[in-house]
Amino acid sequence: MAATLANFGKTLLRRRALDCSCVETRFARCLSTLDLIALGVGSTLGAGVYVLAGEVAREKAGPAIVLCFLIAALSSMLAGLCYAEFGARVPKTGSAYLYSYVTVGEIWAFITGWNLILSYVIGTASVARAWSSTFDSLVEQKISGFFKASMTMKVPGHVLAEYPDLFALILVLLLSGLLAFGVNESALVNKIFTGINLVVLGFVIISGFVKGDSANWNLTKDDYISFINSTNSSRLPKVEEKFGVGGFAPFGLNGILSGAATCFYAFVGFDCIATTSEEAKNPMRSIPIGIVASLLICFFAYFGVSAALTLMMPYYQLDIQSPLPEAFTYVGWSPAKYIVAVGSLCALSTSLLGSMFPMPRVIYAMAEDGLLFRILSRMNPRTKTPLLATIASGIVAALMAFLFDLAALVDLMSIGTLLAYSLVAICVLILRYQPGTLSSSSQTEKLVELVEGEKVAVSGGDSGDEYGMETEEKPLRETFTAKLLFCPSGKIPTKTSGNIVYATTAIISLLITVLCIILANCLTELLAGNAAVVVPCVILTLLCIVCFVIICRQPESKEALTFKVPLLPALPLFSVFVNIYLMMQLDWGTWCRFAVWMLIGFAIYFLYGIKNSSEAAKRSSPRKYEPALQTKSPIYTGAADDSDMEAGSSP
């Protein structure tokens, strides 16, 4: 019984052996670094920039919204840097799904991929309905008025929408056709719309600084009372609730942090760049640059728009639904609202394309690995796009946009995205302390395995490099002792040191999760000094510090990459903390819907994926040396070419 459970556990945690030496791909390598930056900016800088700034400024932060975006950008950059390193390390399609598969195992990869699919489907459907709603408002609600009069759907439970959104359905199907037609054409359309969006935002920022008044960043209680009196209000509302204390940060530090948590989601979307690894001309260089550059551009856009908005008019007068048109009306530039409307539609278009672009590529990667139905991995030989995955995902998203009320489902996007961010950060941390190296310059992997006590080069390479010389001096296998936790035996990673980091990372992730649950639910008691909350938090924090020190003491890999995450292990662990804390902020209803989605996913995995997995097929027909290597499940395997493989594996 124990042996059966152990084998089942190994099956769930089997890792994909990644061959990074093969430069051939079924996709068309046609995307430049500029294309990737435009894709990231377009996906991230959606309509939120036209709405979110007004909501956060009025309700949570006031003029200090610029600090909210700064904190949110820094938090998002943590995840972005982790994605950038993996883009330099693993030039394959699949994004966080693939990164999890090669590092922490099949079941985690499936969970990640399955939730990414959900995030992209809901994201696509919700943005399509937002596009339809924005266009409808420009034509004075005539579209919604017609559908409400002739096709009203009154179903209890708020599951279905008030009326079927035919406009959103057609929009998603048209963009699915564009994506199926070819990635070059999609990238061109995205660049055009992103360019228009950035021009409009530039106009907004410049206008704000020209027409703005710095006094709006230093408002007093008297200003607010004068405003209330001028509106002929019959009663004075609670000043602290609507106005705060005035000045630059009227709602204090709590308001800034609360606003930053909301603004964090404004930077979601850059991860679509990570799905282009097999379509970028030079993925190991372009993906890190694309991710970092797109996040920086988005930060400056959000920062500039929020600053301009709060300079143009007092924060307590902002319109939550359409802040920018109201701000331009306030300063006497009413016609500018039409320019804002054009920018908003372009932003929604690029955001929609950004949600739809990665969706079929994640489905394709999972289907190619056998975790989803393999028919979805079929490629169109002419357009070199995953045609069936694109059509299937487009139809599902179009039907959701057509029929469903998505307000209750939008939070599910957050779970999928934050889970992916957390796993990518964990994977980066684990891989940086593992033995073996992947040469990013030549895409040639050099990994030394132990086969029956002897060192065997799985793939060829120059044995005269720094890593090769050090492996001759020290064996890769050693016996575990408690001393190795704080005093490793050498300066290069071994299998034991790698396993120590693997286990310690799992433990600290669990500790962080428990800590975040307490912080999310008992923060008031903690600040009040309640011993029942303070003591567990202190114990958990101390245990996290011990785990952190253990990881710090282990030798780090000397693998040369085009990009590396700095400040290891602090930066990935802090990213994990931020992501898990935000996940714990979600309500119980969202977690129940998440559980239902996962039950559907596990049914597919355990009834189909676990038996049809490509890794299962490989292990059922082992090659030379493979029986001895199966217990280790190497993270990387590969060679520069066939001759190198033969030379490296010959006895």
Side-chain angles (χ1 to χ4, degrees):
M1 182 66 179
T4 303
L5 288 175
N7 287 332
F8 181 67
K10 288 179 181 177
T11 299
L12 294 180
L13 296 177
R14 60 193 172 199
R15 293 176 290 189
R16 174 173 166 177
L18 185 66
D19 182 2
C20 288
S21 63
C22 180
V23 295
E24 293 183 4
T25 175
R26 296 167 68 186
F27 290 88
R29 285 201 182 276
C30 57
L31 297 180
S32 64
T33 303
L34 179 61
D35 290 326
L36 298 192
I37 294 173
L39 183 64
V41 172
S43 179
T44 306
L45 202 63
V49 69
Y50 293 91
V51 179
L52 187 65
E55 178 186 343
V56 174
R58 176 165 176 173
E59 303 288 340
K60 297 181 178 180
I65 184 177
V66 292
L67 297 182
C68 295
F69 277 116
L70 176 61
I71 295 170
L74 291 174
S75 302
S76 298
M77 188 63 77
L78 301 179
L81 293 175
C82 294
Y83 269 88
E85 175 168 327
F86 256 115
R89 188 188 286 274
V90 184
K92 294 283 185 180
T93 291
S95 185
Y97 156 74
L98 180 61
Y99 304 161
S100 303
Y101 206 166
V102 301
T103 310
V104 291
E106 189 170 280
I107 187 66
W108 288 107
F110 181 84
I111 291 171
T112 304
W114 187 244
N115 282 291
L116 281 177
I117 292 170
L118 177 69
S119 298
Y120 293 140
V121 168
I122 294 176
T124 298
S126 59
V127 173
R129 287 193 76 97
W131 204 106
S132 173
S133 176
T134 303
F135 186 79
D136 185 40
S137 65
L138 290 178
V139 295
E140 300 177 348
Q141 316 295 330
K142 289 181 180 178
I143 297 175
S144 59
F146 170 78
F147 282 114
K148 285 178 182 178
S150 56
M151 300 176 67
T152 301
M153 298 188 299
K154 294 184 178 179
V155 179
H158 300 288
V159 176
L160 296 182
E162 190 177 351
Y163 64 92
D165 198 334
L166 188 63
F167 200 90
L169 173 79
I170 295 171
L171 183 64
V172 174
L173 292 178
L174 284 174
L175 281 181
S176 296
L178 175 65
L179 288 169
F181 192 75
V183 68
N184 247 333
E185 292 74 14
S186 306
L188 177 61
V189 171
N190 180 72
K191 278 191 289 189
I192 292 172
F193 282 131
T194 300
I196 296 172
N197 185 24
L198 290 176
V199 168
V200 171
L201 292 178
F203 166 75
V204 169
I205 293 169
I206 294 171
S207 302
F209 284 101
V210 169
K211 298 293 291 182
D213 183 357
S214 59
N216 287 327
W217 277 19
N218 193 28
L219 296 166
T220 64
K221 188 176 179 179
D222 293 336
D223 295 318
Y224 180 66
I225 293 174
S226 299
F227 163 70
I228 294 298
N229 293 333
S230 67
T231 58
N232 298 319
S233 178
S234 58
R235 61 186 181 88
L236 191 67
K238 293 182 179 179
V239 175
E240 292 79 10
E241 183 180 330
K242 298 291 183 182
F243 175 73
V245 296
F248 179 71
F251 300 100
L253 181 61
N254 287 339
I256 293 173
L257 294 178
S258 175
T262 303
C263 293
F264 178 86
Y265 297 106
F267 292 92
V268 168
F270 67 85
D271 52 307
C272 68
I273 296 176
T275 64
T276 65
S277 293
E278 292 186 49
E279 291 161 291
K281 294 175 182 176
N282 184 2
M284 289 182 167
R285 177 179 177 273
S286 297
I287 289 179
I289 293 175
I291 290 174
V292 174
S294 62
L295 280 174
L296 286 174
I297 292 171
C298 291
F299 164 67
F300 285 118
Y302 281 124
F303 188 93
V305 168
S306 58
L309 189 62
T310 50
L311 283 170
M312 278 198 283
M313 67 187 297
Y315 64 90
Y316 49 78
Q317 291 183 246
L318 289 171
D319 186 334
I320 294 177
Q321 300 298 325
S322 54
L324 286 174
E326 288 296 320
F328 278 112
T329 302
Y330 183 85
V331 298
W333 285 16
S334 294
K337 65 183 179 182
Y338 296 107
I339 299 175
V340 172
V342 170
S344 181
L345 286 178
C346 288
L348 282 166
S349 300
T350 58
S351 183
L352 183 58
L353 201 59
S355 293
M356 296 181 67
F357 185 87
M359 183 165 50
R361 282 148 183 83
V362 172
I363 294 173
Y364 163 83
M366 296 180 71
E368 190 181 40
D369 289 334
L371 302 188
L372 290 181
F373 309 110
R374 287 192 183 273
I375 191 173
L376 295 172
S377 66
R378 289 187 181 177
M379 297 282 287
N380 185 309
R382 188 177 64 83
T383 62
K384 293 188 176 182
T385 55
L387 187 61
L388 283 179
T390 303
I391 293 173
S393 58
I395 290 174
V396 171
L399 289 175
M400 286 194 70
F402 182 60
L403 295 173
F404 290 95
D405 179 8
L406 299 165
L409 298 178
V410 169
D411 279 344
L412 276 177
M413 293 170 53
S414 304
I415 291 184
T417 303
L418 294 171
L419 179 65
Y421 285 2
S422 301
L423 277 171
V424 169
I426 289 170
C427 292
V428 164
L429 182 58
I430 290 173
L431 283 187
R432 286 281 286 276
Y433 291 92
Q434 299 301 313
T437 177
L438 178 66
S439 173
S440 59
S441 58
S442 62
Q443 294 188 347
T444 303
E445 188 260 354
K446 294 167 284 185
L447 180 62
V448 179
E449 297 281 5
L450 278 168
V451 181
E452 298 175 356
E454 297 179 359
K455 283 186 290 185
V456 176
V458 172
S459 62
D462 182 7
S463 60
D465 65 359
E466 179 185 4
Y467 182 84
M469 289 187 291
E470 290 189 5
T471 53
E472 293 299 324
E473 297 172 3
K474 190 149 222 39
L476 285 181
R477 190 184 293 279
E478 58 187 342
T479 305
F480 172 77
T481 61
K483 180 183 177 182
L484 292 176
L485 292 176
F486 298 97
C487 301
S489 58
K491 295 183 179 179
I492 61 167
T494 65
K495 182 181 178 183
T496 301
S497 70
N499 287 339
I500 288 173
V501 173
Y502 198 107
T504 308
T505 302
I507 293 170
I508 197 172
S509 300
L510 182 62
L511 293 173
I512 288 173
T513 301
V514 176
L515 181 61
C516 288
I517 291 173
I518 296 174
L519 292 176
N521 295 284
C522 308
L523 185 60
T524 305
E525 291 85 347
L526 178 66
L527 295 175
N530 189 327
V533 178
V534 172
V535 172
C537 286
V538 170
I539 293 173
L540 289 168
T541 303
L542 290 175
L543 291 174
C544 287
I545 291 172
V546 171
C547 292
F548 177 80
V549 172
I550 290 173
I551 295 174
C552 286
R553 293 295 300 158
Q554 303 308 308
E556 191 177 331
S557 171
K558 292 180 171 59
E559 179 179 359
L561 296 171
T562 54
F563 180 85
K564 282 188 175 184
V565 174
L567 303 177
L568 238 69
L571 193 149
L573 287 175
F574 186 69
S575 178
V576 171
F577 174 80
V578 170
N579 297 328
I580 294 178
Y581 180 75
L582 290 174
M583 288 173 71
M584 296 307 155
Q585 296 285 332
L586 300 172
D587 58 48
W588 281 104
T590 300
W591 284 103
C592 290
R593 286 184 282 271
F594 172 74
V596 172
W597 176 251
M598 287 313 305
L599 285 175
I600 298 171
F602 284 140
I604 294 174
Y605 176 70
F606 287 111
L607 295 176
Y608 177 85
I610 197 169
K611 294 179 290 186
N612 292 276
S613 165
S614 298
E615 290 304 304
K618 289 178 184 177
R619 290 166 190 244
S620 64
S621 56
R623 300 183 300 272
K624 187 178 182 181
Y625 294 126
E626 199 159 309
L629 296 178
Q630 279 180 3
T631 56
K632 183 172 180 181
S633 299
I635 291 172
Y636 295 121
T637 59
D641 51 42
D642 291 337
S643 61
D644 281 348
M645 172 65 84
E646 291 168 4
S649 61
S650 58

